[in-house]
């Protein structure tokens, strides 16, 4: 039954794709995620995500669409929040490392955000 149309998943994001994605999302963070009266319209956000897609695809293992990039960004944020939570031994709101993209290893974190020990 599954032999008629085997569905293949896309390749995992490689390091270069992830780096470009993080760099571009952080560069356009204000437009993509700002709240309040100065926030961007959905059309503006779509254009920014398309721009990010055009930056990621040249280094991608396979062509990525905007939804792939959004999902990868959500997964990175979730993974890094849980990593910070484990490091701080409390699951409160993320600290200053959140502004850095939450992607630093403990030894890379600035002294104020690094866990004791």
């Amino acid at each position: 039954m599954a032999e008629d149309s085997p569905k293949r998943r896309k390749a995992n994001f490689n390091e270069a794709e992830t780096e470009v994605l993080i760099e571009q999302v952080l560069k356009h963070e204000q437009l993509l995620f700002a709240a309040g009266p100065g926030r961007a319209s959905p059309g503006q956000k779509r254009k920014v995500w398309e721009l990010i897609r055009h930056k990621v695809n040249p280094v991608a293992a396979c062509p990525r669409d905007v939804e792939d990039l959004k999902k990868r960004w959500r997964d990175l944020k979730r993974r890094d929040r849980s990593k910070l939570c484990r490091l701080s031994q409390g699951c409160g709101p993320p600290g200053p490392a959140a502004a850095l993209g939450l992607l630093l290893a403990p030894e890379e974190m600035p002294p104020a955000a690094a866990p004791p020990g």
Side-chain angles (χ1 to χ4, degrees), residues 15-29:
E15 192 173 321
E17 288 173 277
T18 302
E19 286 178 15
V20 172
L21 175 63
I22 292 166
E23 174 188 311
Q24 292 299 311
V25 169
L26 291 177
K27 181 178 177 182
H28 300 287
E29 186 175 26

Side-chain angles (χ1 to χ4, degrees), residues 27-44:
K27 181 178 177 182
H28 300 287
E29 186 175 26
Q30 187 64 32
L31 275 173
L32 293 172
F33 307 116
R39 69 175 175 228
S41 70
Q44 290 171 314

Side-chain angles (χ1 to χ4, degrees), residues 33-53:
F33 307 116
R39 69 175 175 228
S41 70
Q44 290 171 314
K45 290 180 183 182
R46 190 175 30 249
K47 286 179 184 178
V48 171
W49 279 110
E50 283 295 325
L51 173 75
I52 293 171
R53 183 179 67 86

Side-chain angles (χ1 to χ4, degrees), residues 86-108:
R86 286 191 308 273
L87 289 174
S88 66
Q89 303 297 332
C91 294
L100 299 175
L102 301 172
L103 300 170
L104 302 175
E107 60 274 5
E108 298 172 323

Side-chain angles (χ1 to χ4, degrees), residues 79-98 102 104 106 109 112-117:
R79 182 191 74 195
D80 292 327
R81 277 193 193 123
S82 65
K83 184 177 180 180
L84 269 184
C85 183
R86 286 191 308 273
L87 289 174
S88 66
Q89 303 297 332
C91 294
L102 301 172
L104 302 175
M109 294 178 99

